[in-house]
Structure formats: structure tokens, C-alpha cells
Amino acid sequence: PPPVPPPPPAPRAAMPTGSVEVMTVLVMAAITHFARPSTLTPVGGIPTVQHVFYYGWVAALSTGLGALPLIFLGKVTDVWLGLSNAVAAGMMLSASLHLIQEGLDLDADGSVMLGMDVSHQIRVAAGFIMGMGFVIATKKWVESHEELKFGDLTGKDLRKVFLMVAVMTLHSLSEGLGIGVSFTGKDGAHLGAFISASLAMHNIPEGLAVALVLMPRGVSKFSTVLWSIFTSMPQPLIAVPVFMFASHFIFWQSVGLGFAAGSMIWVTCFELLADAIKDLSIKWTAVTTVASFAAGHILRQLIEPAE
């Protein structure tokens, strides 16, 4: 009889998702431990690169706290999905207007381009337009690649999750720039610590906004917490080079704030609110969004009384 061919090799098993999540937590814990400076208060009042990174890192980790309340929720219904979208929309609108105001309130730096003064108002407006353009281009790219998958997510749910994670991650770039700049100057040690603490508080409702979009669409609870934290990872990564080369980044701060606001407002109006109206009535979408917007505004007022 003809020889029996050897059996094909067994397919290599992929690493379980749970293992990846556990490894991610262990890596984050290790970074938190080893990145901690010997003293949180800089010796002689002069912050180091390690101080800047660590404060930005802790601020980023705080984003995960916003997702924790949703861990205890049960099955997601259409009404809950609509409420989640409306609440997230209100929070993002509040954050977007705050970013615009922050950019407009920056001190004039006398920047000139092509012989013309480039005010912060112009830079915020330019960044705003670029932010909207980025989201539109990203949305078209995702829609043109129907084969894309993220776990069990495909199609419309994948697009919503992808846009939310991308926009909130890019939004963190401007916050990382703010941390880096705040550590420079005569009182950088104290101002940098204060700004980092304020951003840590800001990151909590932003983490909730991310979770309100991801978890109802099938992303696991543990993964939702990790993705919420991921959206703030640019904060420590950008803060360090900005701290080292502050004079080269200051021009772009207002542009970055406008970019973040533009991208967030586009996603809020044309994705989150549009979906909320489908699952809720226009009346309840408006009421929920306004209440969430007001809560976000009040929270920021409570956080920043001394600024």
C-alpha cells in the first residue's frame, strides 16, 4: 500500500485575549513601579525628565477609573445604548468647548508666518478644521475596508469604536503638550504637578465617555478599562520631548487644542448623537446630552478654582 502521508502540523494556537490583557496590566504595573522618581518633589525645585514622565503616566492611568462604574452593569439594551451615546456626547461637547477656550486664552507669543501675525484664534480655527478633516478621512478609510475586524466587532460597531479610540487618543496629544510645557519655567515643579493632577481628574470623565461607547458594543469590560487608559498614553510620551524642547512646541499648542476639539465635535454630532436619536426620542436625547454637558462643565469648574 502507498505510504500514509504525515499529518499536517497542528495550527499554532493564538494567545488568548485574557492573557494579553493580564500581560498588559503587568507591564503597566512594572512601568508604574520603576518609573517612579526617588522623590516626587524635585530636589532644588528643578523637575527632571523622570518627574515629567511619571506625572504624565499617572494622569494617563487615571483614565481607567472612568470605566470602572460600567463593569457592574448587566445586559445592554437599545435604550441603554442610546443613553450611553447621549451621555458620552454631552461629556465630549463639554470637553471640546473647554479645549477651544483654553486655546483662545493662551498668552500671545508673537508668532509670524509669511510675514503675517498668526494669533491663537487663527491657530485654533486651523486646528479645528484639520481635526474634522482627519475624522472624515479616517471614517472613509474604515468604511472602505469592510474586512477589518476588532475581536468580534465588524461594520458599524467597529467604525464607532475605532473612531472613538482614535479621536480620544489624538486629543491626548494636546494634553501631553500641556503637561510638558507646564514643567518648564521658574515654578515648573509646582505648576507641572498641579496641571498633571488637574488632567488626571479630567481624564476620569473622558475614560467614562470612551467606556460608554466601547462596552455597549461588545468590547469586554477588562478590555474597555485598558482601552480607556490607552487613549491617554500620548500624555506621558509627548510630555517628555515637549519638556526637553519646549520652545519648538509652544507654537503648536493652540493648533493641537483646536484639532482635538474639531475631531471630538465631529464624532459627537455625526456619530454619537445620530445614533442616540435612533434609540431614544429627540427629546430624551436632548435632555440627556444637556444634563451630561452641564455635569462635565460643573466638574471642570470644581477642578480648576485656582487656575
Side-chain angles (χ1 to χ4, degrees), residues 277-291:
I277 291 172
K278 293 178 184 177
D279 296 320
L280 304 172
S281 64
I282 295 179
K283 172 186 174 181
W284 282 110
T285 298
V287 169
T288 305
T289 302
V290 170

Side-chain angles (χ1 to χ4, degrees), residues 16-17 42 53 57 89 95 112 114-115 122 163 178 189 214 238 256 280 290-291 304:
T17 304
F53 176 83
W57 175 258
V112 176
L114 300 177
I122 294 176
L163 285 177
L214 269 62
I238 293 297
L280 304 172
V290 170
E304 302 174 345

Side-chain angles (χ1 to χ4, degrees), residues 21-36 54 57 61 226 229:
E21 293 171 343
V22 171
M23 288 181 62
T24 302
V25 172
L26 292 176
V27 170
M28 291 168 60
I31 293 174
T32 304
H33 175 73
F34 291 108
R36 188 181 190 276
Y54 187 75
W57 175 258
L61 292 181
L226 294 179
I229 295 173

Side-chain angles (χ1 to χ4, degrees), residues 182-264:
S182 68
F183 272 100
T184 62
K186 294 181 179 179
D187 196 32
H190 296 94
L191 180 60
F194 176 77
I195 294 298
S196 299
S198 297
L199 282 175
M201 294 295 295
H202 284 309
N203 286 344
I204 295 175
E206 289 171 1
L208 176 60
V210 173
L212 285 168
V213 174
L214 269 62
M215 197 174 293
R217 288 176 171 81
V219 180
S220 72
K221 295 176 179 180
F222 197 13
S223 292
T224 296
V225 174
L226 294 179
W227 277 110
S228 297
I229 295 173
F230 173 82
T231 61
S232 291
M233 280 296 106
Q235 290 176 13
L237 299 179
I238 293 297
V240 170
V242 169
F243 171 71
M244 297 172 65
F245 309 102
S247 61
H248 300 285
F249 286 91
I250 290 177
F251 176 89
W252 299 101
Q253 185 172 7
S254 49
V255 178
L257 291 168
F259 185 99
S263 59
M264 290 171 68

Side-chain angles (χ1 to χ4, degrees), residues 42-104:
V43 178
I46 302 176
T48 65
V49 169
Q50 189 175 7
H51 285 99
V52 175
F53 176 83
Y54 187 75
Y55 276 102
W57 175 258
V58 173
L61 292 181
S62 68
T63 314
L65 297 176
L68 293 182
L70 301 188
I71 291 178
F72 306 100
L73 294 177
K75 184 179 179 181
V76 176
T77 63
D78 289 341
V79 173
W80 161 239
L81 182 60
L83 287 172
S84 298
N85 285 326
V87 171
M91 289 183 173
M92 290 182 67
L93 282 176
S94 176
S96 299
L97 295 182
H98 174 79
L99 291 171
I100 292 174
Q101 189 62 51
E102 185 178 345
L104 297 177

